[in-house]
């Protein structure tokens, strides 16, 4: 990676402000229900404490919209982190000003504290310069380990890096290495699988990937727009009518570039997305007028699996159907198992796709599961990530 990491600087005795992505799901009682993102930050935290740094963690949690909202306070995260680290991580009730300053003054080398939710300040998302300076005033060094928010130019991801020596943490490094290798020099054949609900979210990715992959598989709700572009009726399926022309253009572009672009050949359809629906599998083009396509059918799974068999690199973002409901989960879970069984480098990104892979019980057999949905997509689109660009070059 072309950016400096925590290995490249001296941190002993220094106050190190670490932007982490602790935006974890909480249940109604405010307990952390999935601590993956906390666990992923442990290598960086342990390294820094081991080097004798004073570790000051900062993150956002949920969408408090720039106001203090106890529902999004960091206390449950501090509690879970304390358990995982086996030492007490104090939660500080503010993230700028006197309160954290006093707490930091009392820190010993190797201590870890967690500041309050940075999005309690509206200045955070505005990337306000004064606010970034106030964050920077707390520390001697800035570490960005929040890959999941690296595509956002916020005060705690980008702004603060202007005022402190700024380097990447281990999670950031790992994510960038995996994604970078994938785009720069993938083992071939290289296949990408895209799905999920919206074409508009992922159109730029399709476009960029067409220049890189040998095979592009499109499933999920997104496929409907492409199927429509080929002249199929899709009934009441999710469809972005204003993107049909764009989809047609991408189909042509794929042909011109010699990319093998695959769409579903059959779909699991039902009158509505309901957990007790009585679906039918039909060929595409034969979706009943009042029905909607909610999963890919078995023939599509076979077609996709067959084309992936020889792949040496596969990247997947977006479920093949409404996998949250049992009648429409089979296609997504089957693709997850196909990926797990390949002799290939496999990368899965996107909140819902990652949860589908976990649901299929195969997460351990995927080469790299990205913690960043939006960030990994923007990277695959070929965009620069502000939270990375702002770090010191090697
Ligand atoms: P990720 O979070 O992995 O990036 P997205 O958020 O883009 O994925 O898409 C996931 C959503 O797409 C899921 O909620 C799923 O129910 C929905 N989805 C997938 N296929 C369909 C479909 N055929 N019709 C409607 N929604 C779909
Ligand atoms: Mg999603």
């Amino acid at each position: 990676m072309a950016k400096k990491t925590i290995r490249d600087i001296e941190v002993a005795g220094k106050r190190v402000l670490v932007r982490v992505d602790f935006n974890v799901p909480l249940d109604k009682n405010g307990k952390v229900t999935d601590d993956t993102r906390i666990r992923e930050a442990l290598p960086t935290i342990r390294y820094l404490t081991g080097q004798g740094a004073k570790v000051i963690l900062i993150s956002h949690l949920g969408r408090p919209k720039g106001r203090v909202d106890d529902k999004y306070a960091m206390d449950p995260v501090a509690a879970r982190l304390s358990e995982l680290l086996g030492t007490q991580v104090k939660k500080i009730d503010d993230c700028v000003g006197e309160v954290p300053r006093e707490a930091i003054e009392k820190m010993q080398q190797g201590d870890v504290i967690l500041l309050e939710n940075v999005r309690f300040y509206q200045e955070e998302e505005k990337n306000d310069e004064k606010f970034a300076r106030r964050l920077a005033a707390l520390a001697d060094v800035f570490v960005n380990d929040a890959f999941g928010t690296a595509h956002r130019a916020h005060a705690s991801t980008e702004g603060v890096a202007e005022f402190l020596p700024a380097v990447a943490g281990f999670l950031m490094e790992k994510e960038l290495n995996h994604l970078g290798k994938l785009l720069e020099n993938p083992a071939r054949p290289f296949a990408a699988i895209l799905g999920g609900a919206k074409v508009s979210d992922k159109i730029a990715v399709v476009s960029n990937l067409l220049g890189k992959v040998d095979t592009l598989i499109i499933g999920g709700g997104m496929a409907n727009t492409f199927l429509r572009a080929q002249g199929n009726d899709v009934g009441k399926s999710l469809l972005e009518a204003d993107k049909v022309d764009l989809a047609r253009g991408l189909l042509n572009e794929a042909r011109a570039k010699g990319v093998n672009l695959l769409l579903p050949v059959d779909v699991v359809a039902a009158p509505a997305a309901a957990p007790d629906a009585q679906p039918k599998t039909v060929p595409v083009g034969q979706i009943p007028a009042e029905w909607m396509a909610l999963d890919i059918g078995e023939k599509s799974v076979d077609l996709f699996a067959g084309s992936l068999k020889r792949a040496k690199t596969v990247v997947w973002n977006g479920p093949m159907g409404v996998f949250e409901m049992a009648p429409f989960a089979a296609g997504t879970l089957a693709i997850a198992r196909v990926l797990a069984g390949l002799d290939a480098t496999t990368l899965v990104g996107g909140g819902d796709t990652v949860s589908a892979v976990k649901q299929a019980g195969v997460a351990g057999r995927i080469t790299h599961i990205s913690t960043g949905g939006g960030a990994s997509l923007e990277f695959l689109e070929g965009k620069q990530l502000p939270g990375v660009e702002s770090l010191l070059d090697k």
Side-chain angles (χ1 to χ4, degrees), residues 195-198 201-202 219-222 224 237-238 292-295 317-324 332 349-354 373 377:
K198 278 173 122 188
D201 281 358
K202 298 183 182 175
M222 222 182 131
N224 299 323
S237 302
L238 184 79
M292 42 178 95
L294 295 163
D295 192 12
N317 174 280
M320 297 290 99
V322 181
F323 74 100
E324 300 93 332
T332 302
D352 292 297
T353 316
V354 170
L377 273 180

Side-chain angles (χ1 to χ4, degrees), residues 121-243:
Y121 287 86
Q122 57 177 29
E123 290 91 336
E124 160 68 355
E125 293 189 62
K126 289 187 178 148
N127 199 3
D128 179 80
E129 186 187 317
K130 257 199 221 129
F131 184 71
R133 282 182 191 276
R134 295 181 76 197
L135 289 171
L138 299 173
D140 307 302
V141 174
F142 174 66
V143 174
N144 195 345
D145 212 23
F147 176 73
T149 31
H151 58 314
R152 306 277 184 229
H154 293 168
S156 73
T157 61
E158 194 214 32
V160 65
E162 297 234 346
F163 307 113
L164 288 175
V167 300
F170 291 145
L171 174 60
M172 179 72 88
E173 180 187 37
K174 182 173 86 172
E175 293 272 11
L176 294 173
N177 280 346
H178 278 287
L179 289 164
K181 237 196 287 169
L182 203 105
L183 282 190
E184 276 154 35
N185 197 11
R188 291 184 183 275
F190 178 15
I193 310 168
L194 291 177
K198 278 173 122 188
V199 174
S200 41
D201 281 358
K202 298 183 182 175
I203 207 89
V205 190
V206 176
S207 186
N208 193 44
L209 285 176
L210 280 179
K212 316 218 176 255
V213 298
D214 305 295
T215 299
L216 180 60
I217 293 171
I218 298 179
M222 222 182 131
N224 299 323
T225 305
F226 287 86
L227 290 169
R228 185 79 201 89
Q230 290 184 328
N232 294 294
D233 266 326
V234 296
K236 291 268 180 301
S237 302
L238 184 79
L239 173 73
E240 284 175 85
D242 60 332
K243 294 289 181 308

Side-chain angles (χ1 to χ4, degrees), residues 349-381:
D352 292 297
T353 316
V354 170
S355 95
V357 165
K358 287 183 180 163
Q359 197 176 309
V362 297
R365 286 151 67 201
I366 301 297
T367 313
H368 181 63
I369 295 207
S370 179
T371 52
S376 61
L377 273 180
E378 293 203 8
F379 192 93
L380 294 176
E381 283 171 31

